[in-house]
């Protein structure tokens, strides 16, 4: 998702009027914005990227920041996605809150934190650094929240990269067996049947996030952007019945694939990490995964060539990436904002791309990394056709855990109606 090639139809979002001055956004620890005093003191930074293009790029920028401000004591801590998902607000509301952090986007996470007053309103910083004009609105909207709902209002976080979910496949296996990447749902069904006939199944972590993504990917098969708006922003009621062409189709398809043996027999107990390892080892020729796997798969998979194809259908799971946020309790707000601006600079956006990530503001001519080029070929088609469908757990707090438990159970018992009732009831009971 690059600024000068992005063709996503912009979602309307009006930034709320800024009420804080830049001097008020800062703190004594990060230097005086009026006098220009050099920043000093501790600067606590968290993110959960590990062995990814983002982790490598952000670490390089952090090193530059250290060199620029020798009086600053940079303290970095590696967290996990689950830690932020499960205990994020409690951490932000404590004396352990960092000065800068990577945060999960969506109503249930960044939205909930912004509504609780735990994140700094970044509108003034956006104007100071030009983020509100450099980044396309289709990327900014993931950091905009009004009353905890994503898409409009003030900026509480910035995405610095893009991501999407698609199928990774063993290109050597496909070529050897004269298989082609499917472009329709019917062709995907036929491919899975052929693989089953060859003694192969897809790799799937049914005990983790991959089943959540698979269910939503299938729901998006027949969805349109109005349905996404209905589901994510509660514009209209959402149908969770077995007859619905979105969630109903998804549940029925997973139950059908289970009955036909397209999953490993023990799929409900397999972790995403183990599923990825199986694909990387060549044990399974197909896996559904996000672009956060690109770099690891490229580095680990050396015995065969791999490729990617978009999940057949109308829309795809994906968005601009997770957010960099400045907690309200940060004592280094100005310094944190400066770091975010570094990450969005052409220098580090190009570095991100050439480390294997999907930058938002890079120079296309400067990107030479084969992983980025390979992944962007799919991503460009998704964004230029306005096919990003966001993520399934965003609408209401706690939805990820509910969808995961229901999805794992569906893979075990094949009861589509029970799955739909579980995720539908939770959604209806917790939506605003």
């Amino acid at each position: 998702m690059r600024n000068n090639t992005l063709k996503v139809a912009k979602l309307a979002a009006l930034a709320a009027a800024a009420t804080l001055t830049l001097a008020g956004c800062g703190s004594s620890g990060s230097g005086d914005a009026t006098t220009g005093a050099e920043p000093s003191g501790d600067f606590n930074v968290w993110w959960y990227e590990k062995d990814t293009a983002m982790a490598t790029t952000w670490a390089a920028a952090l090193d530059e920041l250290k060199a620029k401000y020798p009086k600053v004591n940079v303290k970095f801590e590696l967290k996990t996605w689950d830690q932020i998902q499960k205990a994020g607000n409690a951490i932000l509301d404590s004396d352990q809150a960092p000065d800068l952090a990577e945060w999960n986007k969506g109503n249930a996470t960044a939205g909930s934190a912004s509504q609780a007053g735990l994140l700094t309103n970044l509108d003034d910083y956006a104007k100071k650094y030009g983020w509100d004009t450099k980044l396309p609105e289709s990327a900014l909207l993931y950091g905009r929240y009004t009353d905890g709902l994503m898409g409009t209002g003030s900026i509480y976080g910035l995405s610095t990269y893009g991501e999407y979910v698609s199928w990774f496949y063993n290109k050597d296996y496909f070529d050897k067996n004269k298989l082609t990447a499917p472009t329709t749902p019917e062709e995907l069904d036929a491919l899975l049947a052929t693989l089953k006939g060859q003694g192969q199944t897809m790799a799937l972590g049914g005990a983790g996030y991959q089943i959540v993504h698979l269910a939503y990917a299938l729901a998006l098969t027949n969805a349109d952007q109005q349905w996404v708006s209905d589901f994510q922003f509660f514009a209209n009621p959402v149908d969770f019945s077995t007859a619905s062409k979105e969630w109903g189709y998804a549940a029925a398809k997973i139950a059908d694939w289970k009955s036909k043996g397209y999953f490993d027999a023990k799929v409900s107990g397999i972790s995403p990490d183990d599923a990825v390892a199986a694909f990387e080892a060549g044990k399974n020729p197909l896996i559904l995964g996000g672009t956060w796997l690109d770099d690891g798969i490229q580095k680990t998979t050396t015995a065969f060539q791999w490729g990617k194809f978009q999940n057949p259908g109308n829309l795809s799971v994906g968005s601009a990436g997770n957010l960099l946020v400045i907690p309200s309790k940060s004592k280094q707000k100005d310094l944190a904002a400066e770091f975010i601006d570094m990450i969005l600079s052409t220098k580090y956006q190009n570095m991100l791309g050439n480390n294997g990530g999907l930058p938002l503001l890079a120079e296309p001519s400067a990107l030479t990394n084969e992983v980025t080029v390979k992944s962007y070929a799919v991503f460009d088609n998704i964004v230029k056709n306005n096919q990003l469908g966001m993520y399934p757990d965003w609408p209401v707090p706690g939805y990820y855990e509910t969808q995961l438990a229901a999805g794992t159970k569906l893979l075990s018992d094949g009861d589509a109606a029970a799955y739909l009732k579980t995720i539908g009831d939770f959604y209806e009971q917790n939506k605003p």
Side-chain angles (χ1 to χ4, degrees):
M1 201 187 293
R2 301 183 180 91
N3 187 43
N4 47 4
T5 58
L6 187 66
K7 300 178 182 177
V8 176
K10 294 183 178 180
L11 298 181
L14 299 176
T19 58
L20 300 176
T21 65
L22 278 176
C25 289
S27 69
S28 59
S30 60
D32 190 311
T34 303
T35 64
E38 182 178 345
S40 61
D42 292 342
F43 181 45
N44 295 289
V45 179
W46 292 1
W47 62 66
Y48 46 80
E49 299 295 336
K50 182 181 179 181
D51 300 326
T52 66
M54 283 71 74
T56 302
T57 304
W58 296 352
L62 203 56
D63 285 342
E64 180 179 332
L65 197 73
K66 291 179 188 178
K68 182 177 181 181
Y69 299 119
K71 293 181 181 180
V72 172
N73 180 29
V74 176
K75 295 183 175 181
F76 169 73
E77 291 186 42
L78 179 66
K79 300 298 181 179
T80 69
W81 186 89
D82 280 338
Q83 283 178 301
I84 303 304
Q85 184 73 20
K86 295 176 181 177
N89 283 12
I91 296 170
L92 290 178
D93 202 23
S94 72
D95 58 4
Q96 302 299 312
D99 296 304
L100 173 78
E102 179 184 14
W103 217 253
N104 304 340
K105 57 192 179 293
N107 298 343
T109 45
S112 175
S114 68
Q115 187 176 25
L118 300 175
L119 299 180
T120 299
N121 182 319
L122 302 180
D123 286 348
D124 285 336
Y125 286 123
K127 290 184 176 66
K128 175 182 178 180
Y129 289 109
W131 301 334
D132 54 349
T133 56
K134 287 195 296 186
L135 287 166
E137 188 56 46
S138 50
L140 286 170
L141 73 90
Y142 296 100
R144 291 192 186 276
Y145 294 89
T146 297
D147 296 329
L149 298 182
M150 183 178 69
T152 65
S154 291
I155 299 171
Y156 288 93
L158 272 296
S159 296
T160 62
Y161 64 97
E163 61 185 34
Y164 66 94
V165 173
S166 66
W167 293 94
F168 293 75
Y169 68 100
N170 184 323
K171 192 173 184 302
D172 290 352
Y173 182 91
F174 271 49
D175 290 346
K176 178 181 178 181
N177 291 278
K178 295 182 172 55
L179 301 174
T180 58
T183 58
T184 67
E186 294 76 19
E187 289 177 356
L188 177 58
D189 281 345
L191 171 63
L192 295 176
T194 298
L195 292 177
K196 174 62 178 177
Q198 296 171 347
Q200 297 285 348
T201 61
M202 71 176 79
L204 182 73
Y209 68 85
Q210 284 177 328
I211 180 55
V212 177
H213 286 168
L214 176 62
Y216 193 53
L218 292 172
L220 292 175
T221 298
N222 301 311
D224 56 24
Q225 288 295 347
Q226 180 58 58
W227 183 86
V228 172
S229 181
D230 294 343
F231 177 64
Q232 298 285 350
F233 305 132
F234 318 108
N236 294 291
V238 174
D239 186 0
F240 287 93
S241 73
T242 56
S244 72
K245 62 186 179 66
E246 296 91 10
W247 283 116
Y249 171 85
K253 184 62 66 176
I254 291 172
D256 179 55
W257 287 357
K258 168 186 164 54
S259 70
K260 292 176 178 175
Y262 295 167
F263 303 117
D264 185 284
K266 299 180 180 179
V267 63
S268 62
I270 298 174
S271 73
D273 285 349
D274 287 343
V276 172
F279 174 78
E280 290 174 338
K283 296 178 181 178
N284 301 85
L286 190 66
I287 187 172
L288 186 80
T291 45
W292 51 87
L293 299 177
D294 285 355
D295 199 46
I297 286 178
Q298 178 70 10
K299 290 176 179 177
T300 306
T301 304
T302 57
F304 61 87
Q305 295 294 311
W306 59 275
K308 301 180 84 170
F309 63 84
Q310 185 177 351
N311 186 61
N314 294 347
L315 304 177
S316 292
V317 184
S319 70
N322 281 315
L323 307 172
L324 291 179
V325 302
I326 303 176
S328 296
K329 292 191 175 184
S330 170
K331 297 176 182 178
Q332 297 278 13
K333 291 183 174 67
D334 289 347
L335 194 60
E338 183 175 345
F339 179 81
I340 292 174
D341 193 57
M342 289 174 65
I343 297 301
L344 289 171
S345 70
T346 301
K347 173 183 176 179
Y348 285 106
Q349 287 287 290
N350 288 350
M351 183 185 295
L352 175 66
N354 286 320
N355 281 328
L358 284 177
L360 298 173
L361 298 171
E363 298 171 316
S365 61
L367 301 178
T368 58
N369 182 282
E370 62 178 304
V371 178
T372 300
V373 173
K374 183 184 298 185
S375 197
Y376 186 71
V378 177
F379 190 59
D380 183 49
N381 185 68
I382 292 172
V383 297
K384 76 181 181 183
N385 290 306
N386 194 24
Q387 293 177 314
L388 286 172
M390 303 189 184
Y391 286 86
D393 59 307
W394 287 358
V396 294
Y399 209 15
Y400 170 79
E401 290 77 12
T402 297
Q403 290 180 328
L404 174 57
T408 300
K409 182 175 179 293
L410 176 59
L411 287 172
S412 179
D413 62 19
D415 191 340
Y419 169 84
L420 292 167
K421 178 172 174 51
T422 297
I423 67 167
D425 286 353
F426 190 90
Y427 178 89
E428 294 299 338
Q429 292 165 8
N430 291 277
K431 71 181 183 181

